[in-house]
Amino acid sequence: MTPGTDVDATGADAPPVIETPWRRLDKRMLVVSPIAGLVRLLPVVLILLVTGRQGTPMQVWFPLGIGVLVVIGGVIRWRTTRYRITADRVELHTGWLRRQRRSVPRDRIRTVDLTAKLLHRIFGLSVVHVGAASGSPMESAGLQLDAVSKTEADRLRRELLDRTSTAAGPGTVERAPVAPPRPPATELARLNWSWLRFAPLTFSAIAGIGAMGAAVFNLIGELGVDPRDIPAVDDAADRLTSTPIWATIAVLAALLLVVAVVGAMVLFAERWYGYRLTREAGDPEAAATPSAGIGTGTLRVRRGLLTRRSLSVSEQRLRGVEVVEPLLLRAGRGACSKALSTGLTRSAQGGALQPPCPRPEAHRVASAALREQPHEITLAPLRKHPPAALQRRMTRAVLPTGVLVAGLFVAGSAVPFLAELAVPSLLLLPLTALVALDRFRNLGHELTARYLVSRQGSIQRRTVALQRAGVIGWTFRQSIFQRRSGLVTVEAITAAGAGGYQVLDVAAADGVALADASVPHLLTPFLATAAPADPQLGPR
């Protein structure tokens, strides 16, 4: 027996355990990281240069010192960051003064997101964000490699989403045999520039324009620049003040509307330029014995002009889709679809499969992503909820509004300003009643062969198609007012998406039957052994 060779239980020589080496981030980060830090500090440096006294050493040396510290920080960050990918885990070590050790089991990886900002793209780099399933606070956040080369990022994306590469034992670097080349990706959707008309109808785009406007305004204030000192601005302000107040308001409103529309279109173009949704083929062995309604490939969304983004979601971890229709977008007959999977961020763009687009296109993409017919998921005919649900919505909408209007009339006798608002406030009563009616009309649910489909909302209508196999539990909620009306709110608990999806104000008996039918035999023991304690809920 050779010294240093392990021996297994049968006496034969065991293969040596090879330690997986640690890797560093790309060396180009030694340039990118300091430049990015200096760009973020550029407004501060400009303020120091503008507001400092001319000729003082502080005006020159302080910004220079900031630049040196940023460069040193970038070097330390690169030297203290290491990562490695073993057969069963992804590990990341970062920090010098405050060290962090992150480790994510590979069987919990659900998504791999590649992001390349403009500076990263110039140097051929990409940021890899690994999204993992919930297991602990650390694992639920996943980890981020900032940054590796584009070639390495794409290789990591394929490797981490490939279930066959986890077959080797722990502590080894053995890989599965080289598989034959997989077929090219199938394109499911691509950008249609006619969808640009939906950009001004999304609240996120308008909010983004407001945020940018506020940032510019704050920067101008910090630099000590008074817009009134600009002749053109001062002349325009004088003209507005000399016109009637209603004309001034109309001009300002039109100006803001134009800025919001143009800005929303610019943001849309930056976010969704080059958009493509593709399906990459999965493992051939897994595809030979697929589960019903579950694919073995990977859904990949690529988009972005200045910042390129690539989101990859394993189909085996996909638990459903959600079609979102904000009020303005719904009025324009538009919608967008989102994937329901663990490891996705819960931001407005988290899991987005497409930009705002025509409503039929959103349902088509949802159907293509799940490999299901639209009438089996988001376009399934839904069951209406009982009239008591309409009564609850009318009461909750009209009653507070009526109290507010009555308060304005009462307070108007003492405060003249409020008296002017009292009569126009009467318009709020029919408006809130219409919103309550729309909320009731949008309520619905249905069980199809493999999905629980539910819809709710008016300001933002959401249609969710959730795999019944992805439901891990149920929560029943019943307030005292719901109890009096014989209603209950049923929530399907899942590890994907928001973690739970509600069916609001359904009849109590129907809610229990819905939960029992969605996941057969989950509630059967409780229904069979517990005595009926509430006539509204039936046997429990």
Side-chain angles (χ1 to χ4, degrees):
M1 181 179 66
T2 304
T5 303
D6 296 333
V7 180
D8 60 14
T10 62
D13 291 344
V17 177
I18 304 175
E19 184 72 17
T20 304
W22 289 90
R23 312 179 196 176
R24 293 191 184 277
L25 300 177
D26 196 283
K27 290 184 178 180
R28 284 169 285 187
M29 281 302 297
L30 290 172
V31 179
V32 174
S33 183
I35 293 178
L38 291 175
V39 169
R40 287 193 294 266
L41 291 174
L42 187 59
V44 179
V45 174
L46 289 176
I47 292 173
L48 291 174
L49 293 176
V50 172
T51 60
R53 294 181 179 179
Q54 297 294 329
T56 59
M58 181 63 69
Q59 188 181 23
V60 177
W61 291 108
F62 193 77
L64 184 60
I66 292 178
V68 171
L69 290 177
V70 169
V71 172
I72 294 176
V75 174
I76 293 176
R77 178 175 172 272
W78 180 82
R79 290 282 301 175
T80 58
T81 301
R82 300 181 302 160
Y83 72 96
R84 67 177 179 180
I85 300 175
T86 66
D88 56 348
R89 306 190 74 83
V90 181
E91 300 177 69
L92 175 66
H93 291 183
T94 60
W96 178 44
L97 297 178
R98 183 174 179 267
R99 296 181 178 178
Q100 291 185 350
R101 303 291 185 264
R102 295 190 177 186
S103 178
V104 176
R106 292 185 61 176
D107 58 0
R108 290 186 177 273
I109 294 175
R110 301 296 183 260
T111 62
V112 177
D113 192 352
L114 307 184
T115 304
K117 297 182 180 180
L118 181 60
L119 189 59
H120 288 76
R121 292 176 61 188
I122 292 174
F123 286 87
L125 300 175
S126 184
V127 180
V128 181
H129 180 81
V130 180
S134 300
S136 70
M138 184 65 69
E139 291 179 0
S140 63
L143 53 84
Q144 179 173 288
L145 303 178
D146 184 9
V148 296
S149 66
K150 288 184 178 180
T151 303
E152 175 71 1
D154 192 63
R155 188 190 69 80
L156 289 175
R157 182 185 67 83
R158 294 180 179 275
E159 180 180 356
L160 295 177
L161 290 176
D162 189 357
R163 310 254 58 91
T164 61
S165 61
T166 62
T172 69
V173 292
E174 297 180 5
R175 302 186 183 275
V178 178
R182 296 179 180 178
T186 303
E187 183 176 282
L188 303 181
R190 66 166 52 236
L191 180 64
N192 186 334
W193 283 107
S194 66
W195 300 347
L196 194 63
R197 67 184 187 272
F198 295 106
L201 303 180
T202 56
F203 176 77
S204 60
I206 297 176
I209 294 300
M212 287 195 302
V216 172
F217 182 80
N218 289 335
L219 180 59
I220 292 175
E222 292 292 339
L223 293 176
V225 178
D226 190 350
R228 292 173 296 182
D229 295 336
I230 303 175
V233 175
D234 187 57
D235 183 57
D238 291 338
R239 291 183 179 182
L240 287 176
T241 54
S242 62
T243 57
I245 185 64
W246 61 268
T248 301
I249 295 176
V251 170
L252 292 177
L255 181 61
L256 289 176
L257 180 61
V258 170
V259 171
V261 170
V262 174
M265 290 183 174
V266 171
L267 283 180
F268 181 97
E270 197 285 324
R271 286 178 177 174
W272 296 102
Y273 178 84
Y275 158 75
R276 287 185 65 200
L277 172 64
T278 57
R279 173 180 285 116
E280 298 177 349
D283 174 39
E285 296 182 1
T289 56
S291 303
I294 300 178
T296 60
T298 300
L299 292 177
R300 186 179 186 185
V301 181
R302 285 174 286 181
R303 60 187 177 93
L305 178 59
L306 299 179
T307 300
R308 292 292 296 172
R309 300 174 179 87
S310 172
L311 172 65
S312 299
V313 181
S314 171
E315 284 190 281
Q316 292 180 319
R317 307 302 181 184
L318 190 64
R319 291 297 175 260
V321 294
E322 180 180 25
V323 175
V324 184
E325 302 170 77
L327 185 60
L328 291 177
L329 191 58
R330 179 155 58 103
R333 300 183 180 275
C336 56
S337 59
K338 300 175 64 176
L340 303 183
S341 177
T342 52
L344 295 171
T345 62
R346 298 187 180 183
S347 63
Q349 298 295 320
L353 293 176
Q354 63 187 161
C357 63
R359 190 179 302 156
E361 175 66 12
H363 290 287
R364 186 196 69 80
V365 167
S367 172
L370 292 182
R371 303 176 187 258
E372 291 282 356
Q373 294 299 320
H375 64 268
E376 288 290 324
I377 47 173
T378 54
L379 287 181
L382 305 182
R383 300 183 186 183
K384 295 297 182 181
H385 289 202
L390 173 60
Q391 181 182 353
R392 273 178 51 79
R393 271 143 190 78
M394 285 292 183
T395 302
R396 297 169 65 181
V398 177
L399 185 59
T401 305
V403 172
L404 175 62
V405 171
L408 288 176
F409 273 96
V410 172
S413 59
V415 183
F417 173 73
L418 295 179
E420 297 178 0
L421 299 177
V423 175
S425 68
L426 291 173
L427 294 176
L428 294 176
L429 292 173
L431 288 178
T432 54
L434 288 176
V435 172
L437 179 61
D438 187 59
R439 290 185 62 200
F440 171 72
R441 292 177 57 188
N442 291 331
L443 281 180
H445 70 277
E446 185 56 271
L447 278 179
T448 63
R450 287 187 290 268
Y451 288 86
L452 167 66
V453 185
S454 65
R455 180 180 297 148
Q456 60 174 291
S458 177
I459 305 301
Q460 184 160 262
R461 185 168 72 180
R462 297 177 177 271
T463 304
V464 176
L466 179 64
Q467 281 184 3
R468 294 164 63 172
V471 179
I472 58 177
W474 290 90
T475 299
F476 294 84
R477 294 186 178 90
Q478 190 178 49
S479 68
I480 185 173
F481 302 105
Q482 286 179 307
R483 195 177 309 160
R484 291 171 60 88
S485 303
L487 303 175
V488 67
T489 294
V490 184
E491 183 178 14
I493 307 301
T494 179
Y501 294 92
Q502 294 181 340
V503 180
L504 294 175
D505 288 342
V506 68
D510 292 342
V512 176
L514 171 68
D516 189 48
S518 299
V519 186
H521 312 301
L522 180 63
L523 299 180
T524 302
F526 303 97
L527 296 174
T529 58
D534 190 329
Q536 296 289 354
L537 290 176
R540 294 186 290 154

